[in-house]
Amino acid sequence: MTAPDTIVLVHGFWVTPRSWEHWISHYERRGFRVIAPAYPGFDVEVEALNADPTPIVNVTVPQIIERYTAAIKELPSKPIIIGHSAGGAFTQILLDHGLGAAGVALNSAPTEGVRVVPLSQIKSTFPVLKSPANRHKAVGLTAEQWQYAFTNTFTEEEGRALYERYHIPASGAILWGGVLANFQPGHQDTWVDYHNDNRAPLLFVSGSEDHIMPPAIQQSNAKHYKSNTITEIKEYEGYAHLLPAQKGWEEIADHVLDWALTHASARA
């Protein structure tokens, strides 16, 4: 197999593809083609979605997976897929569906079956999960809530600047769906086959200080995989949930790309 020359970046909730802006230019300087598709309805700028979050309300996980599947199938060869937060869960689903030469899940949201729920996650998601009525809304975070959930290791000034640059509301329906997935019969939207031996190599990256998707979730998610393929986890000390924007992110970006290239090539 030829080494992958394309990287697909998958964003999470409460942000848009803009959150990858520095990673895109960083990887392009290394000679890669980089694409960062938006979820359906997210094809406008942060300011527009904050002014009118209507497109966010009704988006579904199958619609998001369909969007990324279509983008990846247009590529001439399998790319490296890197996802952050909810994008990490979607990366796992895409790999399970046979897409991608290797995948990296940064501070990933859990896939179905992961039942670890740390207190800091409950506090981080409480603005959405405090009311079932939020299943029918797009719910934003205040600057203070963002600082706790996303940028707790940043200075208040840094966190505020990133809030103004990246923050949008999130789909209450999808967040509630994730909570209820473990209590409903049958496979739900975030189900993956943990025994899929044909899945591409997968690396979990965990920030030790992540409040909304703490290391315990990454460790539990990784341990669910029982397939005869590569699944590894690496923890970075001192990093918060918004790891892709924290000082030193370039080292992490290079490490995960090199890991993906090494293991994707090993499958040739």
Side-chain angles (χ1 to χ4, degrees), residues 112-144:
E112 185 178 335
V114 178
R115 297 176 183 272
V116 175
V117 186
L119 288 175
S120 67
Q121 185 186 49
I122 295 173
K123 181 176 178 179
S124 297
T125 56
F126 187 72
V128 178
L129 302 180
K130 65 182 180 183
S131 171
N134 285 336
R135 296 180 67 180
H136 309 290
K137 299 178 182 176
V139 183
L141 301 175
T142 66
E144 291 72 24

Side-chain angles (χ1 to χ4, degrees), residues 81-83 88-89 91-92 103-108 202-206 218:
I81 306 174
I82 301 175
T91 295
Q92 295 180 61
V104 179
L106 306 170
N107 285 337
S108 180
L202 171 62
L203 173 65
F204 285 89
V205 170
S206 178
Q218 312 309 314

Side-chain angles (χ1 to χ4, degrees), residues 204-262:
F204 285 89
V205 170
S206 178
S208 68
E209 306 307 313
D210 187 347
H211 278 167
I212 192 168
M213 299 297 168
I217 292 177
Q218 312 309 314
Q219 293 160 7
S220 177
N221 201 155
K223 288 178 180 176
H224 272 68
Y225 282 99
K226 307 300 182 185
S227 54
N228 186 26
T229 186
I230 298 170
T231 306
E232 296 183 0
I233 183 167
K234 180 174 178 57
E235 183 171 318
Y236 282 90
E237 288 293 328
Y239 277 83
H241 187 64
L242 200 59
L243 173 150
Q246 187 166 338
K247 184 178 180 181
W249 65 264
E250 296 93 337
E251 179 182 346
I252 298 174
D254 286 337
H255 170 79
V256 302
L257 176 57
D258 291 342
W259 183 95
L261 289 169
T262 297

Side-chain angles (χ1 to χ4, degrees), residues 7 9 20 22-34 82 249-250 252-258:
I7 300 168
L9 299 174
W20 290 119
H22 301 302
W23 284 56
I24 292 172
S25 56
H26 183 76
Y27 284 148
E28 287 177 340
R29 285 194 294 272
R30 286 191 57 172
F32 289 86
R33 177 188 182 190
V34 186
I82 301 175
W249 65 264
E250 296 93 337
I252 298 174
D254 286 337
H255 170 79
V256 302
L257 176 57
D258 291 342

